[in-house]
Amino acid sequence: DTIALIHGAHRMGNRTDADMARWRSLRFGQFIHWGLYAIPGGEWNGKTYNGAAEWIRSWKEMPHEDYDKLYRQFNPVNFNPQQWAAQAKSMGAKYMIITTKHHDGFCLWPSKYSKYTIASSPWKKDLLGPMIEAYNKAGIDVHLYFSIIDWNHPDYRASLKNAADSAAGKRFQVFVKNQLAELLQRYPTIKGFWFDGTWDDSWKNDGAFSDELEQYLQSLHPGLVMGSRLRADEKGARHFDSNGRLMGDYEQGWERKLPATIDDVHGNDWEAVMTVPENQWGYHAKWAGHVKTVNEILEMLVKSVSLNGNFVLNFGPKADGTYRTEEQQLMTGIGQWMKVNGDAIYNGTYAGFEKQDWGYYIRKAGTDSVYMVVFNIPVSGSLRVKLPARTSLTGASVLQSNATLTPELIGRNEYFIHLPNKTTDSPVVILLKTVTGENKEKGSF
Ligand SMILES: C[C@@H]1N[C@@H](c2cn(-c3ccccc3)nn2)[C@H](O)[C@@H]1O
């Protein structure tokens, strides 16, 4: 039986409104981590920081006062938001998430609630406004990343140990509320907040505040999309309340990892955010270890959509406002595939077909069109398709060439689709036309 909660989930099941349907249809996003951490770029005094570049302030080799002075050098002279938006558009991203303020507390907008902002830098000017305008003009929605943790703010407390801490904590909550309202007031076209840095006790143990904040923001900007990471319930449970119900509008815990099967997402909307190296969000001058390839990223994107989720790929621009070559090449390569096959991604949902080894099924939302995205062509060249009961196959074609395929019926509701050639250097998309229902005539193959 369930526990009585005041600040747990307030909704059973997914949101069904138009704003959430829009978020769900976009499927592919671009994350941008940009801030002071791009100046050191993971290096300081000739030493290399092996952690995530945006966490360099926590490195023992980086004195806090040295980091906190970096704003005096932040001057992205090559920042070109129109170019950023054009590259994101060519990659096929339909929404973008930008770090307004990361854990270091530095604000990319001239907040009136803090001195530690772009207004105090040589650049002086707001960076968010031009970005949001350029991306919106390119037809890309913008969501704002906001870190609750704020290493710069004098009132931030990881935990509340005494009355003084509690007083500081209260002042900090007012500060957070003011900055979020300020962001909504300055940037009314944004579609959501992406909260981070909500794991400390001071936040986890005040579920009431996180609940009231979420409702306050929704009242200021109805339809806002906010993930589960903002929320705690009054017992300190995060993401899922003490009755196991998802809080927020989608499961926001998939950071640098993907669900394995449809059972892992429990019917909830969800989103995965992914780094190109193993674990770098902000710019790091020396990427160590494995750097993901175009095909590897395409497989993560396709797998996410096949399991009813969104996939967001992260980019870490340099301090001067340009992207590193590897990231530019990824945007180009991903974009080339998306240009031809984006139909299988946008409005993509879980197909409800039995998963096969050759790749992933994606159903165009609310239709009988099911895409097969093939990553692993078997030695036989024949792709097995087992249809759910009462579903028949009425057509199959290669999406890119529109070439018709003739599936071979090999058993009850089971087919082989023979691919013309067994080699490809990028995923092949096949469009299946199906019919489902009691008395439909047998499939036409
Ligand atoms: C979206 C990503 N979330 C931030 C993060 C948080 N953490 C983290 C690290 C240790 C404990 C708890 C959380 N690691 N990375 C990263 O800095 C980036 O912003």
Side-chain angles (χ1 to χ4, degrees):
D1 43 40
T2 58
I3 304 165
L5 290 173
I6 298 171
H7 301 296
H10 299 303
R11 190 193 61 246
M12 288 284 279
N14 293 317
R15 271 177 54 174
T16 55
D17 60 289
D19 292 298
M20 197 67 198
R22 179 191 176 102
W23 176 88
R24 204 176 283 129
S25 73
L26 302 180
R27 288 306 186 212
F28 184 29
Q30 176 192 44
F31 218 149
I32 298 178
H33 275 72
W34 197 33
L36 302 183
Y37 37 77
I39 297 171
E43 300 181 324
W44 193 252
N45 281 344
K47 294 192 201 81
T48 299
Y49 173 51
N50 298 322
E54 71 284 354
W55 276 68
I56 195 168
R57 188 180 184 277
S58 64
W59 186 26
K60 64 179 181 357
E61 308 279 347
M62 164 66 95
H64 285 177
E65 52 280 359
D66 287 354
Y67 185 93
D68 295 347
K69 280 188 294 204
L70 290 171
Y71 73 92
R72 297 177 188 165
Q73 305 170 41
F74 195 55
N75 192 20
V77 290
N78 296 323
F79 173 53
N80 181 335
Q82 292 75 22
Q83 190 175 39
W84 283 20
Q87 288 175 299
K89 181 176 182 151
S90 72
M91 175 171 76
K94 292 290 186 187
Y95 67 110
M96 184 271 275
I97 307 170
I98 176 65
T99 47
T100 62
K101 179 179 90 167
H102 202 259
H103 309 331
D104 62 3
F106 183 71
C107 304
L108 296 195
W109 82 100
S111 172
K112 57 175 183 276
Y113 300 102
S114 168
K115 289 264 163 292
Y116 197 48
T117 80
I118 193 73
S120 305
S121 76
W123 184 258
K124 292 198 184 339
K125 302 178 294 288
D126 176 21
L127 287 170
L128 296 185
M131 241 186 262
I132 293 163
E133 185 186 0
Y135 273 79
N136 286 171
K137 243 186 214 142
I140 300 173
D141 286 356
V142 176
H143 291 237
L144 302 182
Y145 168 109
F146 184 91
S147 173
I148 299 295
I149 282 183
D150 185 325
W151 293 327
N152 181 270
H153 197 285
D155 287 333
Y156 184 76
R157 298 287 182 281
S159 61
L160 307 180
K161 297 190 183 66
N162 52 45
D165 282 351
S166 297
K170 280 286 162 242
R171 290 193 301 270
F172 186 75
Q173 287 181 339
V174 169
F175 166 70
V176 165
K177 201 170 166 183
N178 284 337
Q179 282 206 314
L180 291 170
E182 179 182 45
L183 285 167
L184 287 178
Q185 188 272 326
R186 290 178 60 91
Y187 312 113
T189 66
I190 61 113
K191 299 292 184 186
F193 279 115
W194 205 94
F195 288 102
D196 201 3
T198 54
W199 55 81
D200 281 342
D201 285 352
S202 53
W203 189 264
K204 212 170 70 171
N205 297 339
D206 196 344
F209 180 73
S210 72
D211 187 14
E212 285 146 17
L213 179 64
E214 185 183 58
Q215 295 186 48
Y216 168 67
L217 296 172
Q218 278 290 0
S219 70
L220 290 182
H221 195 105
L224 214 52
V225 174
M226 293 176 275
S228 57
R229 199 173 291 200
L230 170 68
R231 295 279 278 102
D233 72 7
E234 59 261 50
K235 303 203 182 300
R238 293 181 59 228
H239 293 279
F240 294 89
D241 71 15
S242 304
N243 293 317
R245 292 181 186 148
L246 185 71
M247 296 181 279
D249 302 323
Y250 61 91
E251 188 185 354
Q252 195 189 349
W254 302 100
E255 180 173 318
R256 297 192 297 120
K257 59 183 189 241
L258 295 184
T261 72
I262 196 67
D263 302 334
D264 293 334
V265 299
H266 314 293
N268 297 315
D269 282 316
W270 62 276
E271 174 197 79
V273 290
M274 193 58 67
T275 49
V276 174
E278 200 268 325
N279 184 17
Q280 291 298 337
W281 298 88
Y283 173 72
H284 196 299
K286 288 200 177 53
W287 274 358
H290 179 66
V291 176
K292 296 176 187 71
T293 63
V294 169
N295 281 337
E296 204 176 332
I297 289 163
L298 287 176
E299 180 156 8
M300 292 180 170
L301 168 61
V302 167
K303 178 172 185 180
S304 299
V305 177
S306 79
L307 297 179
N308 243 17
N310 286 7
F311 181 78
V312 181
L313 184 63
N314 181 73
F315 293 81
K318 294 189 224 173
D320 74 340
T322 60
Y323 284 105
R324 65 195 312 141
T325 313
E326 303 95 315
E327 291 183 349
Q328 302 213 33
Q329 288 168 344
L330 279 175
M331 285 193 269
T332 305
I334 292 166
Q336 281 162 354
W337 188 87
M338 285 295 286
K339 194 157 178 279
V340 173
N341 301 291
D343 261 5
I345 298 295
Y346 306 126
N347 289 295
T349 61
Y350 174 63
F353 284 22
E354 181 183 307
K355 174 86 173 60
Q356 299 290 339
D357 292 341
W358 44 256
Y360 308 89
Y361 290 109
I362 293 173
R363 177 185 296 280
K364 175 71 72 187
T367 74
D368 284 327
S369 293
V370 172
Y371 298 92
M372 298 166 62
V373 190
V374 182
F375 288 86
N376 317 301
I377 298 176
V379 169
S380 65
S382 307
L383 309 177
R384 183 182 302 276
V385 174
K386 286 172 79 169
L387 297 176
R390 301 186 303 100
T391 297
S392 304
L393 201 51
T394 58
S397 58
V398 178
L399 188 64
Q400 172 157 11
S401 62
N402 215 9
T404 303
L405 295 167
T406 310
E408 177 197 349
L409 185 66
I410 58 172
R412 182 171 168 65
N413 257 16
E414 193 166 351
Y415 293 86
F416 266 153
I417 290 184
H418 304 285
L419 277 184
N421 33 35
K422 286 186 203 166
T423 56
T424 175
D425 56 12
S426 83
V428 177
V429 181
I430 290 165
L431 172 58
L432 300 179
K433 287 293 182 194
T434 68
V435 284
T436 301
E438 280 311 321
N439 311 317
K440 302 279 180 193
E441 77 292 347
K442 289 246 352 109
S444 39
F445 296 100

